[in-house]
């Protein structure tokens, strides 16, 4: 089962951060590069956790009302973590505070990635063979479809 590791960019200084029987996945860095948010299934269901990049004990992020979270992305201003939840109806992007509280559903879609200004999210939605990219202005919840690039689009990310 995959565990979390960190290293220097050249591969030196490899350090294991987690060791569980269940998979850890989708790590993302906090804006200050001191903490990593990730998904773990260690309790049997996917949940959001945070751990210091230097090691130590992981802590659950107490963001309620978001079943099966995946694909977290920490906003550059540090105020929010965007993530995907899977429900019977499909995929929904939610945001939640790293300090905990209720998840805020904001749009149907998956694979959210924060813009450098912490105001917009790029994400995708649609069937696997024809995912399309969208841009969401988080404060106004206005969504704009982006031109389709080649075939299916997934896992968008901003250059940071």
């Amino acid at each position: 089962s995959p565990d979390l590791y960190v290293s220097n960019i050249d591969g030196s200084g490899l350090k294991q951060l987690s060791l569980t029987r269940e998979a850890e996945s989708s790590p993302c860095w906090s804006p200050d590069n001191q903490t990593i948010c990730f998904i773990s299934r260690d309790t049997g269901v996917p949940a959001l956790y945070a751990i210091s990049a230097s090691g130590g004990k992981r802590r659950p992020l107490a963001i309620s009302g978001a079943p099966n979270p995946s694909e977290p992305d920490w906003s550059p201003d540090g105020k929010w973590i965007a993530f995907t939840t899977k429900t019977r109806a499909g995929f929904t992007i939610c945001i939640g505070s790293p300090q905990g509280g209720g998840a805020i559903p904001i749009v149907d879609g998956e694979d959210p990635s924060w813009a450098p200004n912490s105001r917009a999210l790029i994400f995708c939605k649609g069937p696997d063979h024809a995912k399309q990219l969208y841009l969401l202005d988080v404060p106004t919840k206005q969504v704009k479809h982006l031109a389709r690039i080649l075939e299916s689009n997934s896992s968008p990310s901003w250059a940071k």
Side-chain angles (χ1 to χ4, degrees):
S1 65
D3 289 307
L4 294 180
Y5 292 80
V6 291
S7 73
N8 297 319
I9 197 159
D10 65 3
S12 66
L14 184 66
K15 182 173 186 151
Q16 186 170 5
L17 298 180
S18 69
L19 179 60
T20 65
R21 286 201 252 173
E22 299 299 326
E24 276 82 39
S25 62
S26 304
C28 68
W29 290 93
S30 64
D32 64 6
N33 295 319
Q34 300 300 307
T35 306
I36 298 170
C37 175
F38 63 99
I39 304 297
S40 178
R41 296 176 188 271
D42 194 36
T43 61
V45 295
L48 291 161
Y49 288 86
I51 192 166
S52 169
S54 60
K57 187 174 178 166
R58 68 184 186 163
R59 65 177 172 85
L61 295 180
I63 300 174
S64 61
N68 304 307
S70 63
E71 305 155 344
D73 192 46
W74 214 310
S75 65
D77 65 8
K79 294 179 181 176
W80 300 103
I81 296 174
F83 54 94
T84 302
T85 62
K86 185 170 192 236
T87 63
R88 288 183 213 166
F91 295 102
T92 300
I93 295 172
C94 297
I95 58 173
S97 169
Q99 286 74 43
I104 304 167
I106 53 174
V107 70
D108 289 340
E110 56 188 305
D111 294 330
S113 178
W114 284 101
N117 66 4
S118 297
R119 181 181 172 110
L121 285 167
I122 191 169
F123 66 98
C124 61
K125 72 177 181 177
D128 285 341
H129 66 284
K131 288 187 191 284
Q132 300 212 6
L133 296 178
Y134 294 84
L135 186 65
L136 168 73
D137 182 75
V138 174
T140 65
K141 295 189 179 179
Q142 290 184 346
V143 175
K144 179 178 180 166
H145 177 256
L146 300 177
R148 188 165 175 192
I149 303 170
L150 299 176
E151 299 189 16
S152 183
N153 299 279
S154 63
S155 302
S157 182
W158 292 88
K160 296 178 182 178

